[in-house]
Amino acid sequence: MKNDDLIKQLSDNLQPVKRLPSISVRTMRWLGFVIFWVALGLYLLDLRADWPDKVMDNEFIIESVLFSLAGLLSSIVAIALSVPGKTLKSIYGVLGAVSVALWVGLIIWKGFFVSMPEVREQLGFIHGLQICFTSVAGLALVPALFVLYYVRKAASCSPAAVGFFSVLAAASFATLGSRYFCDIDDHAHIFVWHFIPMMSLAIGGVLIGRSFLKW
Amino acid sequence: MLFKKQLSDDWGQLMAKAQDGDSAAYQKLLAAIQPALLAFARKQIFDAQLAEDASQEIMLAIHKQRHTFDPTQPFKPWMYAIARHKCIDTIRKIQRKSDAEVGITDEIETFLTSSSNTEDEDVKKDLETALSSLNEKQQKVIHLMKLEGYTAQEVADQMDMTVSAVKVTAHRAIKHMQKSLGSK
C-alpha cells in the first residue's frame, strides 16, 4: 500500500480515543486495588493474634516500611514503563534498582543467618506449603493479574521489565500482608515460604511480560 | 535545537487534536512524520523495501497506540520509541525467516559444487545461466557463500554488509534462481 493511501485511510477512519490517565493516577488506582485486596485477604485469613504487639516492634516496622517502599517503587516503574518513550535509562531505572535492592537487602537480612539444615527442615514443614505459600500466592496472584491487565492497555516497549516490576509490586504487598497473618517469625520460615516464592514469581514476571505484553 | 523542539511540540499538538477525533490534524501529522519514520527505518533496516514496509508498520502502531500519548509530554520520544520497537520486531522477523531458509540453500548448494550429485551438463549450464541473471551483489553473495563456502558472517565482513542483509540477499537470489530454473 502506498504511504499516501495509508495516511488517507487512517485519517478518514479516525475515531476519538480516551487518553490513558497519567502515571500518578494509574499508580494510585492500582495501589488502591492492591491495598483493598490484601486487606480483604487479611480479613478472611485473620490477623495474627499478637499483631498489636508486633506493630510496635522495631524490626517489624522496618520490614513493613521496606516492603511498602519496594511495592510502591515497583508499581511506579511498571506503570511508567508501560508507555512508549519511558525507559529504564531515566529516573525509573533508579527507582527500579532501588526496589530490587530493597528486596535483595530483605532477603539477605532474613536469609543471611539461615543454614541449609534449617532450609531443609522448612521444606519438610507442610504448614508452610499448605498455609503460608498458598495464602501468599493468593494475595499476590490477583493483584499481579490486575496490574498486568492494566499495563497491557498501554504499550510497553520493555515488556520483560514491565512484567518483572508488575509482579514484583504485587509480590511486595503480598509478602507484607503475609507478615500480618503468619505468626511464625522464624527467619528460615519467612525466607523459605514467604520471600523466595515471591521473588521467584517476580522473576517469572519477565517471561509473562514478554508473551503477555506484546503489541 | 529550538526549531526541533517547536516541531516536536507542533506534532504533539496535532496528535492531541487527533486524539479528540480531528481528521485534518491527524492527516497533517502523519504526512509530516512519515519522512522521519522512513529515514529512521532505513537506518535500522538495510533493505529499502523492507524499511518502507517497516515505516508503514510504525505508522499503524502509532495509530493503534495513539491513546498512550500524553499531550503534556514531548511527542518525538514517544514516536521514536514506537518506531524503535517496531523496527526491532521487523529485524527479528527477517532473521527468523533467514534462519528457517538455510536448509533450502544447503540443498541447492550440491548442484553448484564440483563434487555435485548430478553429472548432467545441461543442468549445470542452466544453473550457471540462472546465476548470471542475478544482479552483481546477489551473484557475489551466492558465489562466496555457495561456491567458496564462506559463512554469512565472513561474507558480511568482506562486503561491508550486515549478516541479516547477506542472508536476505542470498534468500532473494535463490528465489530468483528457482523461478528461473522452474520456467525451463
Side-chain angles (χ1 to χ4, degrees):
Chain A
M1 183 187 270
K2 287 184 180 172
N3 287 322
D4 291 341
D5 293 338
L6 178 61
I7 289 170
K8 194 169 186 318
Q9 190 180 328
L10 292 177
S11 47
D12 284 350
N13 297 318
L14 183 70
Q15 298 291 324
V17 291
K18 192 178 172 189
R19 283 187 194 95
L20 211 60
S22 66
I23 293 168
S24 49
V25 167
R26 290 192 294 144
T27 305
M28 293 308 294
R29 285 180 184 170
W30 143 247
L31 287 173
F33 176 80
V34 75
I35 289 167
F36 161 76
W37 180 258
V38 172
L40 179 65
L42 290 177
Y43 173 74
L44 294 171
L45 291 165
D46 269 336
L47 288 171
R48 57 195 289 172
D50 62 346
W51 77 266
D53 297 321
K54 213 60 197 166
V55 294
M56 304 305 288
D57 180 59
N58 288 335
E59 188 176 314
F60 193 81
I61 291 169
I62 292 169
E63 205 183 298
S64 297
V65 167
L66 294 178
F67 270 123
S68 302
L69 196 56
L72 175 65
L73 295 178
S74 306
S75 308
I76 293 169
V77 173
I79 285 167
L81 292 186
S82 69
V83 174
K86 300 281 187 269
T87 68
L88 285 169
K89 295 177 189 174
S90 65
I91 184 68
Y92 300 109
V94 176
L95 297 181
V98 171
S99 73
V100 171
L102 286 170
W103 257 99
V104 171
L106 282 159
I107 286 175
I108 291 171
W109 176 20
K110 295 292 176 180
F112 189 76
F113 298 106
V114 172
S115 64
M116 278 312 292
E118 284 176 305
V119 170
R120 277 194 285 271
E121 190 187 334
Q122 279 301 317
L123 288 172
F125 184 44
I126 298 300
H127 173 93
L129 177 66
Q130 285 178 338
I131 308 296
C132 292
F133 179 76
T134 50
S135 302
V136 178
L139 282 181
L141 273 173
V142 171
L145 289 172
F146 179 91
V147 74
L148 285 168
Y149 174 73
Y150 205 38
V151 295
R152 197 166 191 262
K153 284 184 173 184
S156 170
C157 294
S158 315
V162 171
F164 172 73
F165 284 108
S166 297
V167 181
L168 186 67
S172 300
F173 288 112
T175 313
L176 169 65
S178 74
R179 298 293 285 123
Y180 284 83
F181 73 78
C182 177
D183 56 7
I184 303 172
D185 292 324
D186 177 58
H187 280 209
H189 173 82
I190 295 168
F191 182 72
V192 171
W193 293 116
H194 293 242
F195 283 24
I196 294 302
M198 288 302 101
M199 210 48 200
S200 307
L201 193 64
I203 292 166
V206 171
L207 299 171
I208 296 167
R210 272 192 189 150
S211 51
F212 187 65
L213 299 177
K214 273 186 190 174
W215 50 277
Chain B
M1 189 75 155
L2 277 174
F3 172 73
K4 281 185 179 175
K5 188 178 182 302
Q6 179 62 38
L7 201 65
S8 181
D9 291 344
D10 287 344
W11 287 351
Q13 284 170 16
L14 288 172
M15 178 52 98
K17 286 180 184 173
Q19 287 174 325
D20 294 330
D22 187 337
S23 303
Y26 195 46
Q27 190 164 4
K28 195 175 170 187
L29 171 69
L30 292 180
I33 66 175
Q34 193 275 326
L37 295 178
L38 184 59
F40 182 86
R42 279 194 178 144
K43 281 183 191 168
Q44 315 297 317
I45 299 165
F46 177 77
D47 188 281
Q49 185 56 53
L50 289 171
E52 175 116 14
D53 292 344
S55 73
Q56 292 193 352
E57 287 288 321
I58 296 166
M59 257 203 292
L60 279 168
I62 285 172
H63 178 74
K64 281 180 193 167
Q65 307 302 344
R66 64 192 187 279
H67 67 289
T68 66
F69 173 66
D70 182 353
T72 64
Q73 300 291 315
F75 180 80
K76 267 188 171 179
W78 179 85
M79 181 186 84
Y80 280 120
I82 292 175
R84 201 172 300 115
H85 185 78
K86 282 294 164 188
C87 282
I88 289 170
D89 271 355
T90 302
I91 290 166
R92 279 187 186 146
K93 276 182 203 165
I94 294 169
Q95 283 174 339
R96 272 198 296 266
K97 205 176 170 190
S98 296
D99 290 344
E101 279 153 2
V102 165
I104 298 169
T105 60
D106 284 345
E107 286 170 18
I108 297 210
E109 186 173 5
T110 63
F111 285 89
L112 298 174
T113 58
S114 55
S115 56
S116 164
N117 60 12
T118 177
E119 311 246 317
D120 191 335
E121 284 300 314
D122 286 341
V123 173
K124 254 186 156 175
K125 201 177 169 188
D126 287 342
L127 285 169
E128 281 163 13
T129 307
L131 193 61
S132 63
S133 71
L134 302 174
N135 67 40
E136 196 182 339
K137 194 202 292 181
Q138 287 173 332
Q139 278 190 39
K140 194 169 179 188
V141 165
I142 292 293
H143 185 85
L144 288 172
M145 280 183 85
K146 305 304 171 189
L147 297 180
E148 301 287 330
Y150 287 107
T151 63
Q153 182 64 61
E154 286 165 343
V155 173
D157 292 339
Q158 274 195 43
M159 294 181 66
D160 196 27
M161 291 166 67
T162 63
V163 173
S164 303
V166 166
K167 285 182 179 176
V168 168
T169 305
H171 162 66
R172 289 204 168 144
I174 285 157
K175 284 277 180 208
H176 187 87
M177 287 173 70
Q178 282 176 328
K179 216 174 170 181
S180 172
L181 290 166
S183 63
K184 289 194 185 282

